[in-house]
Amino acid sequence: MIHSATLTLQHTLSPIADNNRLRLFSGSANVPLSQEVARYLGMDLGPMVRKRFADGELYIQIQESIRGCDVYLIQPTCHPVNDNLMELLIMIDACRRASARQITAVIPYYGYARADRKTAGRESITAKLVANLIVKAGASRILAMDLHSAQIQGYFDIPFDHVYGSPVILDYLASKQLSDIVVVSPDVGGVARARAFAKKLDDAPLAIIDKRRQAHNVAEVMNVIGDVKGKTAVLVDDMIDTAGTISEAAKILRKEGARQVYACATHAVFSPPAIERLSSGVLEEVIVTNTIPVAEQDRFKQLTMLSVANVLGETIWRVHEDSSVSSMFR
């Protein structure tokens, strides 16, 4: 079940003044989220033909005039990553060739973001490669949520609005009235994210997991920096992929005396064997958002999904009205 966010976004703007120029389209990656965004904006998703040729090639046609319009294309590049990325590129190209005035790629989850720099010889920086592809396809603006690395914004030479799912998660945690909270970063690289999260939780104390990674998707947890004994530990990350990091972190937090352990992440990537690890009982609750759809058969009793449709819808509203986006998160 997806919980509607109780986060209240205050409209300080008049209704969209030039609604005839605003168009909203959805890729196939997360149609339910796109529909929620459309409902928030009080409009319908634009009509589109999407089909495949016998060899798997994608065909897309926009089925209404968008000449001179501001077009917003909602498409997270989640599993199947290559198909969804290619679909986004084709959608952008179709809109550019249809003479859209401005094309905004709304990417709730930005895939290929983990390779954001070279850590060894002869590696590709895929985060930059994807940025180049999106810009070359014809996007004039990007709207993304909780990038794996904030520096990815700098890979684009077009306007970039980076928004966050944390207000929705924080609002939900506040409703649970947890006591003696300590916010835990599952690795050193996530300290800035965890610190910002802790500040919003009445300056909760911070702990860090010292982790040594032996290979991709394999994590070895070593020890905890900080006091978690007798406390409610809240693990904070941008994504949960195979859940190796989160599950190992939860185990060592319990070993160090944490009373309860919660996991919070914006993106529920959930590659196997994530479901088995997360539902094993080491976590009281796994709190994620619906930037990535989770199939019904992959839901488990500890899972709570929160909707970020209001955040994305409000951001689209403000971008279209040339209003401040950053003020939403102050």
PDB file of all heavy atoms in Angstrom, residues 85 88-89 92 105 107 110-111 113 126-137 139-144 147 149-162:
ATOM      1  N   LEU A  85      15.626   4.140 -20.126  1.00  0.00           N
ATOM      2  CA  LEU A  85      16.459   5.266 -20.559  1.00  0.00           C
ATOM      3  C   LEU A  85      16.234   5.542 -22.042  1.00  0.00           C
ATOM      4  O   LEU A  85      16.053   6.696 -22.455  1.00  0.00           O
ATOM      5  CB  LEU A  85      17.938   4.961 -20.295  1.00  0.00           C
ATOM      6  CG  LEU A  85      18.945   5.986 -20.821  1.00  0.00           C
ATOM      7  CD1 LEU A  85      18.688   7.362 -20.230  1.00  0.00           C
ATOM      8  CD2 LEU A  85      20.377   5.526 -20.533  1.00  0.00           C
ATOM      9  N   LEU A  88      12.961   7.263 -22.624  1.00  0.00           N
ATOM     10  CA  LEU A  88      13.040   8.690 -22.286  1.00  0.00           C
ATOM     11  C   LEU A  88      13.682   9.478 -23.417  1.00  0.00           C
ATOM     12  O   LEU A  88      13.184  10.551 -23.808  1.00  0.00           O
ATOM     13  CB  LEU A  88      13.837   8.875 -20.990  1.00  0.00           C
ATOM     14  CG  LEU A  88      14.128  10.323 -20.571  1.00  0.00           C
ATOM     15  CD1 LEU A  88      12.838  11.095 -20.310  1.00  0.00           C
ATOM     16  CD2 LEU A  88      15.036  10.357 -19.337  1.00  0.00           C
ATOM     17  N   LEU A  89      14.773   8.969 -23.970  1.00  0.00           N
ATOM     18  CA  LEU A  89      15.472   9.669 -25.054  1.00  0.00           C
ATOM     19  C   LEU A  89      14.575   9.813 -26.285  1.00  0.00           C
ATOM     20  O   LEU A  89      14.535  10.875 -26.928  1.00  0.00           O
ATOM     21  CB  LEU A  89      16.757   8.921 -25.422  1.00  0.00           C
ATOM     22  CG  LEU A  89      17.824   8.803 -24.329  1.00  0.00           C
ATOM     23  CD1 LEU A  89      18.979   7.951 -24.803  1.00  0.00           C
ATOM     24  CD2 LEU A  89      18.310  10.180 -23.891  1.00  0.00           C
ATOM     25  N   ILE A  92      11.912  12.461 -25.634  1.00  0.00           N
ATOM     26  CA  ILE A  92      12.483  13.804 -25.753  1.00  0.00           C
ATOM     27  C   ILE A  92      12.653  14.180 -27.225  1.00  0.00           C
ATOM     28  O   ILE A  92      12.293  15.293 -27.649  1.00  0.00           O
ATOM     29  CB  ILE A  92      13.843  13.878 -25.011  1.00  0.00           C
ATOM     30  CG1 ILE A  92      13.645  13.734 -23.499  1.00  0.00           C
ATOM     31  CG2 ILE A  92      14.549  15.208 -25.319  1.00  0.00           C
ATOM     32  CD1 ILE A  92      14.941  13.546 -22.730  1.00  0.00           C
ATOM     33  N   ALA A 105      12.778  16.971 -18.656  1.00  0.00           N
ATOM     34  CA  ALA A 105      12.820  15.545 -18.313  1.00  0.00           C
ATOM     35  C   ALA A 105      12.687  15.423 -16.800  1.00  0.00           C
ATOM     36  O   ALA A 105      13.577  15.836 -16.062  1.00  0.00           O
ATOM     37  CB  ALA A 105      14.125  14.928 -18.791  1.00  0.00           C
ATOM     38  N   ILE A 107      12.872  13.121 -13.915  1.00  0.00           N
ATOM     39  CA  ILE A 107      13.499  11.815 -13.674  1.00  0.00           C
ATOM     40  C   ILE A 107      13.493  11.546 -12.168  1.00  0.00           C
ATOM     41  O   ILE A 107      14.452  11.901 -11.463  1.00  0.00           O
ATOM     42  CB  ILE A 107      14.938  11.785 -14.231  1.00  0.00           C
ATOM     43  CG1 ILE A 107      14.962  12.301 -15.675  1.00  0.00           C
ATOM     44  CG2 ILE A 107      15.516  10.384 -14.162  1.00  0.00           C
ATOM     45  CD1 ILE A 107      16.350  12.457 -16.250  1.00  0.00           C
ATOM     46  N   TYR A 110      17.362   8.701 -11.122  1.00  0.00           N
ATOM     47  CA  TYR A 110      18.363   8.856 -12.169  1.00  0.00           C
ATOM     48  C   TYR A 110      19.300   7.651 -12.138  1.00  0.00           C
ATOM     49  O   TYR A 110      20.141   7.518 -11.243  1.00  0.00           O
ATOM     50  CB  TYR A 110      19.139  10.164 -11.936  1.00  0.00           C
ATOM     51  CG  TYR A 110      20.133  10.548 -13.014  1.00  0.00           C
ATOM     52  CD1 TYR A 110      19.761  11.416 -14.035  1.00  0.00           C
ATOM     53  CD2 TYR A 110      21.439  10.072 -12.995  1.00  0.00           C
ATOM     54  CE1 TYR A 110      20.675  11.793 -15.019  1.00  0.00           C
ATOM     55  CE2 TYR A 110      22.361  10.440 -13.963  1.00  0.00           C
ATOM     56  CZ  TYR A 110      21.965  11.290 -14.975  1.00  0.00           C
ATOM     57  OH  TYR A 110      22.880  11.658 -15.942  1.00  0.00           O
ATOM     58  N   GLY A 111      19.132   6.754 -13.111  1.00  0.00           N
ATOM     59  CA  GLY A 111      19.961   5.555 -13.182  1.00  0.00           C
ATOM     60  C   GLY A 111      21.365   5.828 -13.704  1.00  0.00           C
ATOM     61  O   GLY A 111      21.657   6.921 -14.184  1.00  0.00           O
ATOM     62  N   ALA A 113      23.868   6.375 -12.016  1.00  0.00           N
ATOM     63  CA  ALA A 113      24.461   7.476 -11.257  1.00  0.00           C
ATOM     64  C   ALA A 113      25.628   7.035 -10.374  1.00  0.00           C
ATOM     65  O   ALA A 113      26.403   7.873  -9.907  1.00  0.00           O
ATOM     66  CB  ALA A 113      23.388   8.142 -10.385  1.00  0.00           C
ATOM     67  N   THR A 126      29.517   6.749 -16.269  1.00  0.00           N
ATOM     68  CA  THR A 126      28.204   6.595 -16.897  1.00  0.00           C
ATOM     69  C   THR A 126      27.230   7.707 -16.534  1.00  0.00           C
ATOM     70  O   THR A 126      26.340   8.030 -17.319  1.00  0.00           O
ATOM     71  CB  THR A 126      27.587   5.235 -16.535  1.00  0.00           C
ATOM     72  OG1 THR A 126      27.540   5.101 -15.105  1.00  0.00           O
ATOM     73  CG2 THR A 126      28.385   4.090 -17.136  1.00  0.00           C
ATOM     74  N   ALA A 127      27.393   8.297 -15.342  1.00  0.00           N
ATOM     75  CA  ALA A 127      26.506   9.395 -14.959  1.00  0.00           C
ATOM     76  C   ALA A 127      26.644  10.568 -15.931  1.00  0.00           C
ATOM     77  O   ALA A 127      25.656  11.212 -16.298  1.00  0.00           O
ATOM     78  CB  ALA A 127      26.809   9.860 -13.537  1.00  0.00           C
ATOM     79  N   LYS A 128      27.866  10.826 -16.363  1.00  0.00           N
ATOM     80  CA  LYS A 128      28.116  11.896 -17.338  1.00  0.00           C
ATOM     81  C   LYS A 128      27.655  11.483 -18.735  1.00  0.00           C
ATOM     82  O   LYS A 128      27.101  12.284 -19.490  1.00  0.00           O
ATOM     83  CB  LYS A 128      29.610  12.232 -17.344  1.00  0.00           C
ATOM     84  CG  LYS A 128      30.051  13.197 -18.445  1.00  0.00           C
ATOM     85  CD  LYS A 128      29.340  14.549 -18.365  1.00  0.00           C
ATOM     86  CE  LYS A 128      29.896  15.512 -19.392  1.00  0.00           C
ATOM     87  NZ  LYS A 128      29.081  16.738 -19.507  1.00  0.00           N
ATOM     88  N   LEU A 129      27.883  10.232 -19.097  1.00  0.00           N
ATOM     89  CA  LEU A 129      27.444   9.735 -20.401  1.00  0.00           C
ATOM     90  C   LEU A 129      25.932   9.890 -20.563  1.00  0.00           C
ATOM     91  O   LEU A 129      25.449  10.360 -21.599  1.00  0.00           O
ATOM     92  CB  LEU A 129      27.838   8.261 -20.553  1.00  0.00           C
ATOM     93  CG  LEU A 129      27.294   7.529 -21.783  1.00  0.00           C
ATOM     94  CD1 LEU A 129      27.826   8.149 -23.066  1.00  0.00           C
ATOM     95  CD2 LEU A 129      27.637   6.044 -21.712  1.00  0.00           C
ATOM     96  N   VAL A 130      25.169   9.497 -19.530  1.00  0.00           N
ATOM     97  CA  VAL A 130      23.707   9.616 -19.581  1.00  0.00           C
ATOM     98  C   VAL A 130      23.296  11.082 -19.671  1.00  0.00           C
ATOM     99  O   VAL A 130      22.372  11.439 -20.413  1.00  0.00           O
ATOM    100  CB  VAL A 130      23.063   8.924 -18.362  1.00  0.00           C
ATOM    101  CG1 VAL A 130      21.577   9.265 -18.258  1.00  0.00           C
ATOM    102  CG2 VAL A 130      23.248   7.419 -18.458  1.00  0.00           C
ATOM    103  N   ALA A 131      23.991  11.946 -18.947  1.00  0.00           N
ATOM    104  CA  ALA A 131      23.699  13.382 -19.024  1.00  0.00           C
ATOM    105  C   ALA A 131      23.881  13.891 -20.454  1.00  0.00           C
ATOM    106  O   ALA A 131      23.041  14.642 -20.978  1.00  0.00           O
ATOM    107  CB  ALA A 131      24.603  14.159 -18.061  1.00  0.00           C
ATOM    108  N   ASN A 132      24.962  13.476 -21.097  1.00  0.00           N
ATOM    109  CA  ASN A 132      25.209  13.887 -22.485  1.00  0.00           C
ATOM    110  C   ASN A 132      24.098  13.406 -23.419  1.00  0.00           C
ATOM    111  O   ASN A 132      23.644  14.141 -24.301  1.00  0.00           O
ATOM    112  CB  ASN A 132      26.551  13.334 -22.969  1.00  0.00           C
ATOM    113  CG  ASN A 132      27.737  14.028 -22.329  1.00  0.00           C
ATOM    114  OD1 ASN A 132      27.601  15.112 -21.756  1.00  0.00           O
ATOM    115  ND2 ASN A 132      28.897  13.409 -22.406  1.00  0.00           N
ATOM    116  N   LEU A 133      23.666  12.167 -23.232  1.00  0.00           N
ATOM    117  CA  LEU A 133      22.621  11.600 -24.078  1.00  0.00           C
ATOM    118  C   LEU A 133      21.308  12.378 -23.940  1.00  0.00           C
ATOM    119  O   LEU A 133      20.641  12.674 -24.934  1.00  0.00           O
ATOM    120  CB  LEU A 133      22.394  10.128 -23.713  1.00  0.00           C
ATOM    121  CG  LEU A 133      23.506   9.140 -24.086  1.00  0.00           C
ATOM    122  CD1 LEU A 133      23.243   7.785 -23.444  1.00  0.00           C
ATOM    123  CD2 LEU A 133      23.625   9.008 -25.595  1.00  0.00           C
ATOM    124  N   ILE A 134      20.954  12.714 -22.695  1.00  0.00           N
ATOM    125  CA  ILE A 134      19.689  13.420 -22.451  1.00  0.00           C
ATOM    126  C   ILE A 134      19.716  14.817 -23.073  1.00  0.00           C
ATOM    127  O   ILE A 134      18.751  15.260 -23.700  1.00  0.00           O
ATOM    128  CB  ILE A 134      19.400  13.490 -20.937  1.00  0.00           C
ATOM    129  CG1 ILE A 134      19.083  12.081 -20.397  1.00  0.00           C
ATOM    130  CG2 ILE A 134      18.234  14.434 -20.636  1.00  0.00           C
ATOM    131  CD1 ILE A 134      18.991  12.009 -18.887  1.00  0.00           C
ATOM    132  N   VAL A 135      20.839  15.505 -22.919  1.00  0.00           N
ATOM    133  CA  VAL A 135      20.951  16.854 -23.481  1.00  0.00           C
ATOM    134  C   VAL A 135      20.962  16.799 -25.007  1.00  0.00           C
ATOM    135  O   VAL A 135      20.281  17.582 -25.681  1.00  0.00           O
ATOM    136  CB  VAL A 135      22.227  17.559 -22.952  1.00  0.00           C
ATOM    137  CG1 VAL A 135      22.439  18.887 -23.666  1.00  0.00           C
ATOM    138  CG2 VAL A 135      22.110  17.795 -21.449  1.00  0.00           C
ATOM    139  N   LYS A 136      21.716  15.865 -25.574  1.00  0.00           N
ATOM    140  CA  LYS A 136      21.782  15.744 -27.039  1.00  0.00           C
ATOM    141  C   LYS A 136      20.431  15.373 -27.633  1.00  0.00           C
ATOM    142  O   LYS A 136      20.099  15.769 -28.753  1.00  0.00           O
ATOM    143  CB  LYS A 136      22.835  14.708 -27.438  1.00  0.00           C
ATOM    144  CG  LYS A 136      24.271  15.157 -27.241  1.00  0.00           C
ATOM    145  CD  LYS A 136      24.618  16.315 -28.166  1.00  0.00           C
ATOM    146  CE  LYS A 136      26.085  16.689 -28.043  1.00  0.00           C
ATOM    147  NZ  LYS A 136      26.429  17.862 -28.910  1.00  0.00           N
ATOM    148  N   ALA A 137      19.633  14.610 -26.885  1.00  0.00           N
ATOM    149  CA  ALA A 137      18.303  14.232 -27.375  1.00  0.00           C
ATOM    150  C   ALA A 137      17.398  15.441 -27.514  1.00  0.00           C
ATOM    151  O   ALA A 137      16.464  15.430 -28.324  1.00  0.00           O
ATOM    152  CB  ALA A 137      17.678  13.197 -26.450  1.00  0.00           C
ATOM    153  N   ALA A 139      16.555  17.685 -24.414  1.00  0.00           N
ATOM    154  CA  ALA A 139      15.992  18.210 -23.168  1.00  0.00           C
ATOM    155  C   ALA A 139      16.524  19.611 -22.909  1.00  0.00           C
ATOM    156  O   ALA A 139      17.691  19.904 -23.156  1.00  0.00           O
ATOM    157  CB  ALA A 139      16.338  17.296 -21.999  1.00  0.00           C
ATOM    158  N   SER A 140      15.657  20.484 -22.424  1.00  0.00           N
ATOM    159  CA  SER A 140      16.076  21.848 -22.103  1.00  0.00           C
ATOM    160  C   SER A 140      16.143  22.103 -20.603  1.00  0.00           C
ATOM    161  O   SER A 140      16.639  23.138 -20.158  1.00  0.00           O
ATOM    162  CB  SER A 140      15.127  22.862 -22.752  1.00  0.00           C
ATOM    163  OG  SER A 140      13.775  22.491 -22.594  1.00  0.00           O
ATOM    164  N   ARG A 141      15.659  21.144 -19.787  1.00  0.00           N
ATOM    165  CA  ARG A 141      15.701  21.268 -18.329  1.00  0.00           C
ATOM    166  C   ARG A 141      15.562  19.868 -17.736  1.00  0.00           C
ATOM    167  O   ARG A 141      14.912  19.005 -18.309  1.00  0.00           O
ATOM    168  CB  ARG A 141      14.572  22.171 -17.817  1.00  0.00           C
ATOM    169  CG  ARG A 141      14.505  22.311 -16.297  1.00  0.00           C
ATOM    170  CD  ARG A 141      13.320  23.165 -15.868  1.00  0.00           C
ATOM    171  NE  ARG A 141      13.515  24.567 -16.180  1.00  0.00           N
ATOM    172  CZ  ARG A 141      14.115  25.448 -15.384  1.00  0.00           C
ATOM    173  NH1 ARG A 141      14.573  25.071 -14.211  1.00  0.00           N
ATOM    174  NH2 ARG A 141      14.237  26.700 -15.744  1.00  0.00           N
ATOM    175  N   ILE A 142      16.173  19.666 -16.549  1.00  0.00           N
ATOM    176  CA  ILE A 142      16.077  18.398 -15.827  1.00  0.00           C
ATOM    177  C   ILE A 142      15.462  18.644 -14.459  1.00  0.00           C
ATOM    178  O   ILE A 142      15.778  19.618 -13.781  1.00  0.00           O
ATOM    179  CB  ILE A 142      17.457  17.736 -15.643  1.00  0.00           C
ATOM    180  CG1 ILE A 142      18.187  17.585 -16.985  1.00  0.00           C
ATOM    181  CG2 ILE A 142      17.324  16.381 -14.946  1.00  0.00           C
ATOM    182  CD1 ILE A 142      17.530  16.647 -17.947  1.00  0.00           C
ATOM    183  N   LEU A 143      14.581  17.739 -14.060  1.00  0.00           N
ATOM    184  CA  LEU A 143      14.053  17.739 -12.701  1.00  0.00           C
ATOM    185  C   LEU A 143      14.274  16.326 -12.160  1.00  0.00           C
ATOM    186  O   LEU A 143      13.717  15.361 -12.685  1.00  0.00           O
ATOM    187  CB  LEU A 143      12.555  18.079 -12.704  1.00  0.00           C
ATOM    188  CG  LEU A 143      11.871  18.475 -11.385  1.00  0.00           C
ATOM    189  CD1 LEU A 143      10.453  18.957 -11.681  1.00  0.00           C
ATOM    190  CD2 LEU A 143      11.800  17.335 -10.385  1.00  0.00           C
ATOM    191  N   ALA A 144      15.133  16.183 -11.156  1.00  0.00           N
ATOM    192  CA  ALA A 144      15.449  14.861 -10.618  1.00  0.00           C
ATOM    193  C   ALA A 144      15.332  14.877  -9.104  1.00  0.00           C
ATOM    194  O   ALA A 144      15.423  15.937  -8.464  1.00  0.00           O
ATOM    195  CB  ALA A 144      16.851  14.431 -11.039  1.00  0.00           C
ATOM    196  N   LEU A 147      19.563  12.600  -6.148  1.00  0.00           N
ATOM    197  CA  LEU A 147      20.658  12.018  -6.920  1.00  0.00           C
ATOM    198  C   LEU A 147      21.599  11.233  -6.010  1.00  0.00           C
ATOM    199  O   LEU A 147      21.788  11.590  -4.840  1.00  0.00           O
ATOM    200  CB  LEU A 147      21.451  13.125  -7.619  1.00  0.00           C
ATOM    201  CG  LEU A 147      20.731  13.893  -8.729  1.00  0.00           C
ATOM    202  CD1 LEU A 147      21.548  15.124  -9.106  1.00  0.00           C
ATOM    203  CD2 LEU A 147      20.500  13.014  -9.943  1.00  0.00           C
ATOM    204  N   SER A 149      24.675  11.238  -6.224  1.00  0.00           N
ATOM    205  CA  SER A 149      25.741  12.191  -5.928  1.00  0.00           C
ATOM    206  C   SER A 149      25.318  13.557  -6.445  1.00  0.00           C
ATOM    207  O   SER A 149      24.993  13.700  -7.626  1.00  0.00           O
ATOM    208  CB  SER A 149      27.046  11.748  -6.600  1.00  0.00           C
ATOM    209  OG  SER A 149      28.041  12.738  -6.458  1.00  0.00           O
ATOM    210  N   ALA A 150      25.323  14.557  -5.585  1.00  0.00           N
ATOM    211  CA  ALA A 150      24.844  15.892  -5.965  1.00  0.00           C
ATOM    212  C   ALA A 150      25.670  16.509  -7.088  1.00  0.00           C
ATOM    213  O   ALA A 150      25.182  17.366  -7.828  1.00  0.00           O
ATOM    214  CB  ALA A 150      24.834  16.815  -4.752  1.00  0.00           C
ATOM    215  N   GLN A 151      26.922  16.057  -7.243  1.00  0.00           N
ATOM    216  CA  GLN A 151      27.795  16.638  -8.274  1.00  0.00           C
ATOM    217  C   GLN A 151      27.294  16.345  -9.683  1.00  0.00           C
ATOM    218  O   GLN A 151      27.699  17.000 -10.643  1.00  0.00           O
ATOM    219  CB  GLN A 151      29.209  16.100  -8.120  1.00  0.00           C
ATOM    220  CG  GLN A 151      29.382  14.636  -8.544  1.00  0.00           C
ATOM    221  CD  GLN A 151      30.719  14.056  -8.118  1.00  0.00           C
ATOM    222  OE1 GLN A 151      31.224  14.351  -7.029  1.00  0.00           O
ATOM    223  NE2 GLN A 151      31.303  13.238  -8.960  1.00  0.00           N
ATOM    224  N   ILE A 152      26.380  15.371  -9.825  1.00  0.00           N
ATOM    225  CA  ILE A 152      25.858  15.030 -11.150  1.00  0.00           C
ATOM    226  C   ILE A 152      25.156  16.228 -11.784  1.00  0.00           C
ATOM    227  O   ILE A 152      25.119  16.342 -13.014  1.00  0.00           O
ATOM    228  CB  ILE A 152      24.908  13.811 -11.046  1.00  0.00           C
ATOM    229  CG1 ILE A 152      25.726  12.564 -10.674  1.00  0.00           C
ATOM    230  CG2 ILE A 152      24.147  13.566 -12.340  1.00  0.00           C
ATOM    231  CD1 ILE A 152      24.889  11.355 -10.334  1.00  0.00           C
ATOM    232  N   GLN A 153      24.620  17.129 -10.971  1.00  0.00           N
ATOM    233  CA  GLN A 153      24.009  18.340 -11.520  1.00  0.00           C
ATOM    234  C   GLN A 153      24.992  19.096 -12.403  1.00  0.00           C
ATOM    235  O   GLN A 153      24.598  19.703 -13.404  1.00  0.00           O
ATOM    236  CB  GLN A 153      23.545  19.258 -10.388  1.00  0.00           C
ATOM    237  CG  GLN A 153      22.470  18.675  -9.501  1.00  0.00           C
ATOM    238  CD  GLN A 153      22.184  19.568  -8.313  1.00  0.00           C
ATOM    239  OE1 GLN A 153      21.558  20.619  -8.440  1.00  0.00           O
ATOM    240  NE2 GLN A 153      22.655  19.168  -7.146  1.00  0.00           N
ATOM    241  N   GLY A 154      26.255  19.053 -12.037  1.00  0.00           N
ATOM    242  CA  GLY A 154      27.279  19.773 -12.790  1.00  0.00           C
ATOM    243  C   GLY A 154      27.617  19.150 -14.124  1.00  0.00           C
ATOM    244  O   GLY A 154      28.328  19.763 -14.928  1.00  0.00           O
ATOM    245  N   TYR A 155      27.112  17.939 -14.377  1.00  0.00           N
ATOM    246  CA  TYR A 155      27.359  17.289 -15.660  1.00  0.00           C
ATOM    247  C   TYR A 155      26.445  17.833 -16.763  1.00  0.00           C
ATOM    248  O   TYR A 155      26.630  17.502 -17.934  1.00  0.00           O
ATOM    249  CB  TYR A 155      27.127  15.779 -15.558  1.00  0.00           C
ATOM    250  CG  TYR A 155      28.040  15.053 -14.592  1.00  0.00           C
ATOM    251  CD1 TYR A 155      27.755  13.760 -14.187  1.00  0.00           C
ATOM    252  CD2 TYR A 155      29.186  15.657 -14.083  1.00  0.00           C
ATOM    253  CE1 TYR A 155      28.587  13.084 -13.305  1.00  0.00           C
ATOM    254  CE2 TYR A 155      30.009  14.990 -13.203  1.00  0.00           C
ATOM    255  CZ  TYR A 155      29.711  13.702 -12.816  1.00  0.00           C
ATOM    256  OH  TYR A 155      30.530  13.034 -11.946  1.00  0.00           O
ATOM    257  N   PHE A 156      25.460  18.629 -16.367  1.00  0.00           N
ATOM    258  CA  PHE A 156      24.505  19.187 -17.324  1.00  0.00           C
ATOM    259  C   PHE A 156      24.792  20.669 -17.557  1.00  0.00           C
ATOM    260  O   PHE A 156      25.059  21.409 -16.598  1.00  0.00           O
ATOM    261  CB  PHE A 156      23.071  19.048 -16.797  1.00  0.00           C
ATOM    262  CG  PHE A 156      22.556  17.629 -16.760  1.00  0.00           C
ATOM    263  CD1 PHE A 156      22.813  16.809 -15.677  1.00  0.00           C
ATOM    264  CD2 PHE A 156      21.805  17.127 -17.812  1.00  0.00           C
ATOM    265  CE1 PHE A 156      22.333  15.510 -15.626  1.00  0.00           C
ATOM    266  CE2 PHE A 156      21.313  15.826 -17.781  1.00  0.00           C
ATOM    267  CZ  PHE A 156      21.586  15.016 -16.691  1.00  0.00           C
ATOM    268  N   ASP A 157      24.707  21.084 -18.807  1.00  0.00           N
ATOM    269  CA  ASP A 157      24.851  22.500 -19.140  1.00  0.00           C
ATOM    270  C   ASP A 157      23.488  23.136 -19.414  1.00  0.00           C
ATOM    271  O   ASP A 157      23.393  24.103 -20.176  1.00  0.00           O
ATOM    272  CB  ASP A 157      25.773  22.663 -20.355  1.00  0.00           C
ATOM    273  CG  ASP A 157      27.210  22.294 -20.027  1.00  0.00           C
ATOM    274  OD1 ASP A 157      27.634  22.556 -18.886  1.00  0.00           O
ATOM    275  OD2 ASP A 157      27.900  21.731 -20.899  1.00  0.00           O
ATOM    276  N   ILE A 158      22.456  22.562 -18.818  1.00  0.00           N
ATOM    277  CA  ILE A 158      21.095  23.104 -18.901  1.00  0.00           C
ATOM    278  C   ILE A 158      20.575  23.236 -17.471  1.00  0.00           C
ATOM    279  O   ILE A 158      21.145  22.644 -16.548  1.00  0.00           O
ATOM    280  CB  ILE A 158      20.165  22.189 -19.745  1.00  0.00           C
ATOM    281  CG1 ILE A 158      20.136  20.772 -19.171  1.00  0.00           C
ATOM    282  CG2 ILE A 158      20.597  22.175 -21.205  1.00  0.00           C
ATOM    283  CD1 ILE A 158      19.186  19.831 -19.874  1.00  0.00           C
ATOM    284  N   PRO A 159      19.508  24.010 -17.253  1.00  0.00           N
ATOM    285  CA  PRO A 159      18.977  24.152 -15.887  1.00  0.00           C
ATOM    286  C   PRO A 159      18.626  22.802 -15.267  1.00  0.00           C
ATOM    287  O   PRO A 159      18.106  21.907 -15.943  1.00  0.00           O
ATOM    288  CB  PRO A 159      17.730  25.013 -16.082  1.00  0.00           C
ATOM    289  CG  PRO A 159      18.000  25.789 -17.321  1.00  0.00           C
ATOM    290  CD  PRO A 159      18.785  24.874 -18.212  1.00  0.00           C
ATOM    291  N   PHE A 160      18.914  22.680 -13.975  1.00  0.00           N
ATOM    292  CA  PHE A 160      18.697  21.423 -13.265  1.00  0.00           C
ATOM    293  C   PHE A 160      18.043  21.727 -11.919  1.00  0.00           C
ATOM    294  O   PHE A 160      18.592  22.457 -11.113  1.00  0.00           O
ATOM    295  CB  PHE A 160      20.042  20.713 -13.044  1.00  0.00           C
ATOM    296  CG  PHE A 160      19.926  19.269 -12.649  1.00  0.00           C
ATOM    297  CD1 PHE A 160      20.387  18.269 -13.488  1.00  0.00           C
ATOM    298  CD2 PHE A 160      19.382  18.893 -11.432  1.00  0.00           C
ATOM    299  CE1 PHE A 160      20.294  16.933 -13.139  1.00  0.00           C
ATOM    300  CE2 PHE A 160      19.280  17.571 -11.066  1.00  0.00           C
ATOM    301  CZ  PHE A 160      19.740  16.575 -11.919  1.00  0.00           C
ATOM    302  N   ASP A 161      16.867  21.155 -11.681  1.00  0.00           N
ATOM    303  CA  ASP A 161      16.196  21.291 -10.389  1.00  0.00           C
ATOM    304  C   ASP A 161      16.328  19.976  -9.637  1.00  0.00           C
ATOM    305  O   ASP A 161      15.813  18.945 -10.073  1.00  0.00           O
ATOM    306  CB  ASP A 161      14.714  21.643 -10.579  1.00  0.00           C
ATOM    307  CG  ASP A 161      14.526  23.040 -11.142  1.00  0.00           C
ATOM    308  OD1 ASP A 161      14.912  23.996 -10.450  1.00  0.00           O
ATOM    309  OD2 ASP A 161      14.009  23.172 -12.268  1.00  0.00           O
ATOM    310  N   HIS A 162      17.031  20.011  -8.511  1.00  0.00           N
ATOM    311  CA  HIS A 162      17.248  18.819  -7.696  1.00  0.00           C
ATOM    312  C   HIS A 162      16.334  18.904  -6.475  1.00  0.00           C
ATOM    313  O   HIS A 162      16.462  19.814  -5.654  1.00  0.00           O
ATOM    314  CB  HIS A 162      18.715  18.755  -7.260  1.00  0.00           C
ATOM    315  CG  HIS A 162      19.078  17.479  -6.572  1.00  0.00           C
ATOM    316  ND1 HIS A 162      20.139  17.381  -5.695  1.00  0.00           N
ATOM    317  CD2 HIS A 162      18.527  16.238  -6.619  1.00  0.00           C
ATOM    318  CE1 HIS A 162      20.226  16.142  -5.251  1.00  0.00           C
ATOM    319  NE2 HIS A 162      19.253  15.439  -5.793  1.00  0.00           N
TER     320      HIS A 162
END
